[in-house]
């Protein structure tokens, strides 16, 4: 189940929190005015952002800038990047 | 066209315990690929969710994280993401984002159907997948 996943490496949660903090500080106010529904990939080391219509495109653009970078994906104006559906929400 | 025939390319899936499954190809690099049986979850907005063990065997490299809105409205823990490729068995691989999860099944979502240009028709005992363009052609007004 996605909600509580003890087998995830601790770094995943840290990376997400770091990416969200950067998004809140540097990008949220501007992007939520002009890019609602788009995806932004935040480089958790440099704070750079890549914006695109899809998550896949945002991450590819971010990787072009920094091929060894690690990123957190945010959907502008949404609490999460994706909807999980019933199976991923409920499967053990 | 004679009754009972169609020019529309179709693939069929199966219904197992009430859930639709289809055969897909997955690839880490767009070159070598492996066949997987995948559950279709139309509530999943992403491309593919892959169990962690399968992702490891496939050679997917996570380089990002994201969160999901769960069916109960809550937001998930961070989930690793990797770029990869997938398609219906027999089609050309298309790029997309793989979520690496602890679920037991490979799951395909709406982004997979959109990127592959497919329509999913779920009947009581079977699943049919056809091209979106061909499906739309069925509903064009005929003179």
């Amino acid at each position: 189940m996605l909600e509580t996943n003890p087998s995830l490496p601790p770094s995943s949660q840290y990376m997400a929190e770091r990416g969200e903090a950067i998004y809140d500080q540097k990008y949220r106010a501007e992007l939520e005015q002009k890019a609602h529904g788009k995806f932004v990939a935040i480089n958790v080391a440099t704070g750079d952002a890549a914006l695109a219509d899809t998550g896949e495109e945002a991450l590819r653009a971010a990787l072009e800038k920094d091929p060894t970078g690690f990123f957190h994906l945010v959907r502008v104006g949404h609490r999460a990047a994706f909807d999980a559906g019933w199976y991923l929400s409920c499967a053990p | 066209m004679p009754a009972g025939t169609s020019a529309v390319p179709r693939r069929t899936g199966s219904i197992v315990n009430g859930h639709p499954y289809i055969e897909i190809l997955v690839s880490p690099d767009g070159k070598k690929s492996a066949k997987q049986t995948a559950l279709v979850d139309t509530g999943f907005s992403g491309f593919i969710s892959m169990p962690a063990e399968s992702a490891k065997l496939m050679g997917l490299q996570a380089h990002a994280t994201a969160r999901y809105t769960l069916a109960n409205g809550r937001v998930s823990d961070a989930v690793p993401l990797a770029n990869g490729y997938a398609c219906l068995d027999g089609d050309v691989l298309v790029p997309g984002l793989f979520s690496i999860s602890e679920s037991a099944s490979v799951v395909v979502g709406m982004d997979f159907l959109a990127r592959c240009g497919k329509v999913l028709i779920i009947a009581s005992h079977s699943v049919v997948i056809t091209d979106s363009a061909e499906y739309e052609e069925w509903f064009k007004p005929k003179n």
Side-chain angles (χ1 to χ4, degrees):
Chain A
M1 184 173 179
L2 291 175
E3 191 173 350
T4 53
N5 194 340
S7 59
L8 277 180
S11 59
S12 289
Q13 191 65 21
Y14 171 78
M15 294 295 183
E17 289 172 2
R18 175 88 183 117
E20 286 159 355
I22 295 167
Y23 177 74
D24 287 344
Q25 289 164 15
K26 292 182 67 175
Y27 301 109
R28 180 186 291 277
E30 180 188 358
L31 292 181
E32 294 197 354
Q33 291 293 318
K34 67 175 191 185
H36 188 91
K38 293 197 175 198
F39 289 82
V40 59
I42 306 289
N43 186 318
V44 299
T46 66
D48 289 346
L51 184 71
D53 288 338
T54 70
E56 193 267 340
E57 289 164 356
L59 279 174
R60 283 200 187 275
L63 280 168
E64 280 181 20
K65 288 186 200 171
D66 183 359
T68 61
F70 201 94
F71 310 92
H72 181 63
L73 188 66
V74 173
R75 190 169 189 202
V76 178
H78 293 252
R79 293 192 302 146
F82 301 105
D83 294 326
W86 64 269
Y87 180 81
L88 292 173
S89 297
C90 303
Chain B
M1 185 176 296
T5 66
S6 171
V8 178
R10 290 177 187 165
R11 250 65 60 86
T12 56
S14 55
I15 301 285
V16 179
N17 295 328
H19 305 309
Y21 286 82
I22 59 175
E23 298 292 321
I24 64 170
L25 297 178
V26 294
S27 169
D29 54 10
K31 296 170 187 164
K32 62 176 182 178
S33 62
K35 190 184 283 193
Q36 295 274 356
T37 300
L39 185 153
V40 183
D41 184 352
T42 56
F44 172 38
S45 64
F47 186 65
I48 288 179
S49 175
M50 177 74 68
E53 276 302 310
S54 302
K56 188 176 175 184
L57 288 171
M58 190 181 148
L60 283 177
Q61 296 284 330
H63 53 77
T65 54
R67 295 187 194 274
Y68 285 75
T69 303
L70 302 172
N72 64 6
R74 296 179 69 175
V75 174
S76 75
D77 283 343
V79 176
L81 297 177
N83 282 96
Y85 297 79
C87 65
L88 282 176
D89 189 11
D91 280 0
V92 177
L93 291 164
V94 298
L97 280 181
F98 284 63
S99 309
I100 301 171
S101 75
E102 299 303 313
S103 64
S105 293
V106 178
V107 179
V108 301
M110 293 305 290
D111 189 46
F112 174 85
L113 294 175
R115 284 176 177 271
C116 294
K118 300 297 178 188
V119 168
L120 178 74
I121 302 166
I122 301 174
S124 56
H125 298 292
S126 66
V127 177
V128 177
I129 301 166
T130 188
D131 288 333
S132 300
E134 298 286 349
Y135 181 78
E136 285 160 16
E137 192 70 23
W138 295 354
F139 295 98
K140 274 190 178 172
K142 305 284 190 299
N143 292 329

